[in-house]
Amino acid sequence: MKRMMMGALLLSMAACGNPAEPDLAPDPTVVPATTDMTLRAGEELAVGGSVVKIVFARVLEDSRCPVDVVCVWEGNAVVELGIRMGMGPTFPLQVNSALQPQAAEWNGVRVTLLELHPAPRAGVPIRPEDYSVKIRVESVR
């Protein structure tokens, strides 16, 4: 009986932890300082080993100037990304290639669109699955 009580006491002490020690569990919303990532259409990746995941959902609009045409304005593309923590719900983010906003924030994480590929060519449609984005993900906390 004495042994059982001692075991129960040790278990309860272990469960409580040492209040003098800081909680070493990482803040799940914080990602590494800066991470550049390239994603293909529909691809989802974890950010630098964190629980934050980014998905390249789709290109909503692409009016960029074709590389084989001389334009007065470079045009703009609107990209929809999704961001989530672990298995939580996905929150949509929309960013632009030329207009503002080129970056969006969610839960202490900033996502900036750096590049959208392929570059358009006159008279050549881009299939949705052929797009890829280069983004920068950084903690803003």
Side-chain angles (χ1 to χ4, degrees):
M1 179 77 155
K2 200 174 200 183
R3 229 182 230 173
M4 283 179 38
M5 288 181 68
M6 183 61 104
L9 178 62
L10 288 173
L11 276 175
S12 66
M13 287 174 59
C16 291
N18 184 348
E21 291 180 10
D23 181 12
L24 298 179
D27 179 355
T29 62
V30 176
V31 297
T34 300
T35 303
D36 288 358
M37 307 169 63
T38 299
L39 295 101
R40 297 196 54 77
E43 184 177 19
E44 180 180 77
L45 293 175
V47 180
S50 73
V51 297
V52 175
K53 296 180 181 177
I54 308 264
V55 64
F56 173 21
R58 60 192 170 142
V59 174
L60 297 171
E61 170 190 320
D62 190 356
S63 64
R64 296 174 296 158
C65 180
V67 294
D68 51 351
V69 173
V70 176
C71 299
V72 176
W73 184 61
E74 67 183 310
N76 184 57
V78 181
V79 172
E80 182 176 82
L81 304 167
I83 188 168
R84 68 187 175 104
M85 190 177 320
M87 296 306 293
T90 301
F91 183 81
L93 302 174
Q94 288 184 7
V95 290
N96 291 282
S97 64
L99 300 175
Q100 293 300 323
Q102 292 176 326
E105 291 184 16
W106 172 83
N107 207 21
V109 177
R110 177 181 300 125
V111 180
T112 305
L113 177 62
L114 300 176
E115 299 171 8
L116 175 63
H117 294 283
R121 295 196 169 279
V124 179
I126 301 172
R127 297 179 313 169
E129 62 269 19
D130 290 340
Y131 281 108
S132 67
V133 291
K134 182 174 182 183
I135 58 173
R136 174 163 293 146
V137 184
E138 55 197 333
S139 176
V140 290
R141 288 193 178 173

